[in-house]
Amino acid sequence: MFYFVDILGTIAFAISGVLVAMNKRMDIFGIIIIAFVTAIGGGTLRDVITGQTPVNWMLDITYTYVIIGASIFAIVLKNKINYLRTSLFLFDTIGIGLYTVVGVEKGIALGLHPILCIALGTVTACFGGVIRDMLCNEIPVIFRREIYATACLLGGVSYFVLSNFLGEQFTFVIAGIIVITVRLLAVKFNIALPNIYKI
Amino acid sequence: MFYFVDILGTIAFAISGVLVAMNKRMDIFGIIIIAFVTAIGGGTLRDVITGQTPVNWMLDITYTYVIIGASIFAIVLKNKINYLRTSLFLFDTIGIGLYTVVGVEKGIALGLHPILCIALGTVTACFGGVIRDMLCNEIPVIFRREIYATACLLGGVSYFVLSNFLGEQFTFVIAGIIVITVRLLAVKFNIALPNIYKI
Amino acid sequence: MFYFVDILGTIAFAISGVLVAMNKRMDIFGIIIIAFVTAIGGGTLRDVITGQTPVNWMLDITYTYVIIGASIFAIVLKNKINYLRTSLFLFDTIGIGLYTVVGVEKGIALGLHPILCIALGTVTACFGGVIRDMLCNEIPVIFRREIYATACLLGGVSYFVLSNFLGEQFTFVIAGIIVITVRLLAVKFNIALPNIYKI
């Protein structure tokens, strides 16, 4: 179940990379690289700064197969990918929920301060997209008034609050669901962070 | 004293990140991320390429508190931050002086060649700003005719010259002061590197 | 012989960094940093994600000397560097051939899956240029319809095919020659990846 959700998230991140790269008119090779970086960038950065090397996707070849498969799928169906946008959005949202909690737990396993664990969770979920945007010569979208990383932060905080009352498994699931819920509500009701430039 | 200067440097780097991020109209979350990256990016890169993980700011939560506090301070006072520019410039200059020498000493502790130690010092002092500018989709300012990294290089060289004559503590302090002095003089007298494009 | 080719590749990569940096009107310091990053970026990323730290160029100061020397040479001769373009192209092509095979062998030494070894080889050969382009605020050139990384991929695949029939030394040399040949033929006959946007 856990693994299945992980793969769904990887697919969603990979396809989001393909879409951005095709927008920049990259060639097939560039598209697959961007898909790869989007899917594994956040976890790679987390593992590198905490010293968990070789980084996680090197230890299980499945991720590589999934990313290459998803990329080819998205390239072949490029004219029809718009019909999949809702599904992709859902996968991506499930992905950040899962990645956040996985990152938080890696921090706990390393004995880090709770704030750093929450930061690691957010890095895991969000920095694939940040590196994708840097490679595509854009200012990362998550820095521009959208509830995305904020959902991860709230989920990370929830994890530590909930862990006082619940077992690890329940904490894991509910914190992940909080990330997903916050993100879905923010998009549905078009909620953004307050605009500090108008205050 | 050492720790106090370190915190001052962290504050200055964080606020410089806030200013650049606000210039790009980022949201609160983006601003805090850029502040963070500016303050800890150089040390993180140094620790990652030398294998000192988890990286330094993960081992002391104080840095995180200071960066978040300085960011909120700068965001709240955003209309008055111009009055602080001189103080910020001084903090930043003290910061690069300190960071350079800390980086050099980390290289020595790892038994690296003096040139690599100097490079590590310069990376520690300058690459937070480089990563900040990459995330903000700008060509890094330190690559454009200013005596900034050059001050760090000179300080690093001084460290090795001085260490032949002085004890470690004096060498540390004087090399740091050399970085600060070179930077202050360059700004005061508007000195830049020679323009190779006009030769 | 091996070492000699390695140094030639380092020189070619460093000079390609100088040319891009001068195009952006950077100062001397910025030019040397970009030269450095271009020459050692790919190997550094490979070593960091696999946990081989301190990274390779820190263990042998020769690389640093060669990069600084090549940079100064290119800056001084900047008006005549055009006459060297063919030599540089050859050095660069030899460089990616060598770097690809070195990266593949590092992956094998770590016991990684063959696909990941090929990916490591490609990262070693190509990501110096990718980081160079990110620092110069450009979309990396290798993502734009040229047979460059593709040559590395083919060389990596050849390595594993050949290693079933040949000894390590022959495999090394022939896989490297395949990278070089593919790249030379692609440039000579102006071959690019198929343009997926026209299908």
Side-chain angles (χ1 to χ4, degrees):
Chain A
M1 175 61 197
F2 172 95
Y3 197 64
F4 177 71
V5 173
D6 193 8
I7 295 297
L8 273 190
T10 303
I11 293 172
F13 282 138
I15 295 182
S16 93
V18 170
L19 298 179
V20 175
M22 290 209 302
N23 227 21
K24 290 281 173 177
R25 315 292 289 178
M26 289 187 185
D27 66 19
I28 292 176
F29 175 79
I31 293 171
I32 290 176
I33 294 278
I34 299 292
F36 219 93
V37 165
T38 311
I40 55 87
T44 301
L45 181 57
R46 177 199 65 215
D47 289 347
V48 163
I49 63 178
T50 55
Q52 307 299 299
T53 51
V55 297
N56 68 327
W57 56 272
M58 295 194 147
L59 306 176
D60 180 353
I61 192 71
T62 314
Y63 295 105
T64 303
Y65 289 145
V66 165
I67 293 165
I68 294 173
S71 304
I72 292 171
F73 174 82
I75 291 169
V76 170
L77 292 186
K78 64 180 187 298
N79 298 315
K80 306 205 170 78
I81 208 92
N82 273 311
Y83 299 112
L84 295 171
R85 277 193 196 270
T86 310
S87 315
L88 281 177
F89 169 71
L90 283 175
F91 289 0
D92 182 78
T93 303
I94 294 168
I96 62 167
L98 179 77
Y99 280 29
T100 301
V101 189
V102 168
V104 168
E105 295 202 332
K106 294 236 178 182
I108 292 171
L110 289 163
L112 297 176
H113 188 287
I115 291 181
L116 297 177
C117 297
I118 296 169
L120 274 191
T122 307
V123 162
T124 308
C126 299
F127 266 68
V130 170
I131 303 172
R132 175 198 65 209
D133 293 340
M134 286 172 77
L135 283 171
C136 293
N137 205 15
E138 300 277 353
I139 293 184
V141 286
I142 67 154
F143 295 167
R144 299 184 156 280
R145 304 197 58 238
E146 218 192 321
I147 303 287
Y148 190 98
T150 312
C152 303
L153 286 174
L154 292 174
V157 172
S158 311
Y159 188 98
F160 283 98
V161 174
L162 293 167
S163 66
N164 294 316
F165 309 108
L166 302 172
E168 199 197 314
Q169 297 238 342
F170 271 109
T171 302
F172 185 100
V173 172
I174 297 180
I177 289 173
I178 287 173
V179 176
I180 295 167
T181 310
V182 170
R183 173 82 179 131
L184 291 179
L185 290 176
V187 169
K188 182 156 179 62
F189 297 109
N190 204 14
I191 303 168
L193 291 178
N195 185 339
I196 60 164
Y197 302 100
K198 289 196 179 148
I199 299 169
Chain B
M1 175 61 198
F2 172 95
Y3 197 64
F4 177 71
V5 173
D6 192 10
I7 296 297
L8 273 190
T10 303
I11 291 172
F13 282 137
I15 295 181
S16 94
V18 170
L19 297 178
V20 175
M22 291 209 302
N23 228 19
K24 291 281 173 177
R25 315 292 291 177
M26 288 188 185
D27 66 20
I28 292 177
F29 175 78
I31 292 170
I32 290 176
I33 294 278
I34 300 293
F36 218 94
V37 165
T38 311
I40 55 89
T44 300
L45 181 58
R46 177 199 65 215
D47 290 348
V48 164
I49 62 179
T50 56
Q52 307 298 299
T53 50
V55 297
N56 69 326
W57 55 272
M58 294 195 147
L59 306 175
D60 180 353
I61 193 71
T62 314
Y63 295 104
T64 303
Y65 289 145
V66 165
I67 293 166
I68 294 173
S71 304
I72 292 171
F73 173 83
I75 292 169
V76 170
L77 292 185
K78 64 181 186 298
N79 298 318
K80 306 207 170 75
I81 209 93
N82 273 311
Y83 299 112
L84 295 171
R85 277 193 194 270
T86 309
S87 314
L88 280 178
F89 169 71
L90 283 175
F91 289 0
D92 182 78
T93 303
I94 294 168
I96 63 167
L98 179 78
Y99 279 30
T100 301
V101 189
V102 168
V104 169
E105 296 203 331
K106 293 236 178 183
I108 293 171
L110 289 164
L112 297 176
H113 188 286
I115 292 182
L116 297 176
C117 297
I118 296 169
L120 273 191
T122 307
V123 163
T124 309
C126 300
F127 266 70
V130 170
I131 302 173
R132 173 197 67 209
D133 293 340
M134 286 172 76
L135 283 172
C136 293
N137 205 12
E138 301 276 354
I139 292 184
V141 287
I142 67 155
F143 296 166
R144 300 184 155 280
R145 305 197 57 239
E146 217 192 322
I147 302 286
Y148 190 98
T150 311
C152 304
L153 287 174
L154 292 174
V157 171
S158 312
Y159 187 99
F160 284 98
V161 174
L162 292 167
S163 66
N164 293 317
F165 310 107
L166 301 172
E168 198 196 316
Q169 297 239 340
F170 272 108
T171 303
F172 185 100
V173 171
I174 298 179
I177 289 173
I178 287 173
V179 176
I180 294 167
T181 311
V182 170
R183 172 84 179 130
L184 291 179
L185 290 176
V187 169
K188 182 157 179 59
F189 297 108
N190 204 14
I191 303 168
L193 291 177
N195 185 340
I196 60 163
Y197 302 100
K198 289 197 180 147
I199 299 169
Chain C
M1 175 61 200
F2 172 95
Y3 198 63
F4 177 71
V5 173
D6 193 9
I7 296 296
L8 273 189
T10 303
I11 292 173
F13 282 138
I15 295 181
S16 93
V18 170
L19 297 178
V20 175
M22 291 209 301
N23 227 21
K24 291 280 173 178
R25 314 291 291 175
M26 288 188 185
D27 66 19
I28 291 177
F29 174 78
I31 292 170
I32 290 176
I33 293 277
I34 299 292
F36 219 93
V37 165
T38 310
I40 55 88
T44 301
L45 181 58
R46 177 199 64 215
D47 289 348
V48 163
I49 63 178
T50 55
Q52 307 299 299
T53 51
V55 296
N56 68 328
W57 56 272
M58 295 195 146
L59 306 175
D60 181 353
I61 192 71
T62 314
Y63 294 104
T64 304
Y65 289 144
V66 166
I67 293 166
I68 294 172
S71 304
I72 292 170
F73 172 82
I75 292 169
V76 170
L77 291 186
K78 64 181 185 297
N79 297 318
K80 307 205 170 77
I81 208 92
N82 273 310
Y83 299 111
L84 295 171
R85 277 193 195 269
T86 309
S87 315
L88 281 177
F89 169 72
L90 283 175
F91 289 1
D92 182 77
T93 302
I94 294 168
I96 63 166
L98 179 77
Y99 280 29
T100 300
V101 190
V102 168
V104 169
E105 295 202 333
K106 294 237 178 182
I108 292 171
L110 289 164
L112 296 176
H113 188 286
I115 292 181
L116 297 176
C117 297
I118 297 168
L120 273 191
T122 308
V123 162
T124 308
C126 300
F127 267 69
V130 170
I131 302 172
R132 174 197 67 209
D133 293 340
M134 287 172 76
L135 283 170
C136 292
N137 205 12
E138 301 277 354
I139 292 185
V141 286
I142 67 155
F143 295 167
R144 299 183 156 279
R145 305 198 57 236
E146 218 193 321
I147 303 286
Y148 190 98
T150 311
C152 304
L153 286 174
L154 291 174
V157 172
S158 313
Y159 188 98
F160 283 98
V161 174
L162 292 168
S163 66
N164 293 317
F165 311 107
L166 301 172
E168 199 197 315
Q169 298 237 343
F170 272 108
T171 303
F172 186 99
V173 171
I174 298 180
I177 289 173
I178 287 173
V179 176
I180 295 167
T181 311
V182 171
R183 172 85 178 127
L184 291 179
L185 290 176
V187 169
K188 182 155 177 64
F189 297 108
N190 203 16
I191 303 167
L193 291 177
N195 186 339
I196 59 164
Y197 303 100
K198 289 196 180 144
I199 298 167

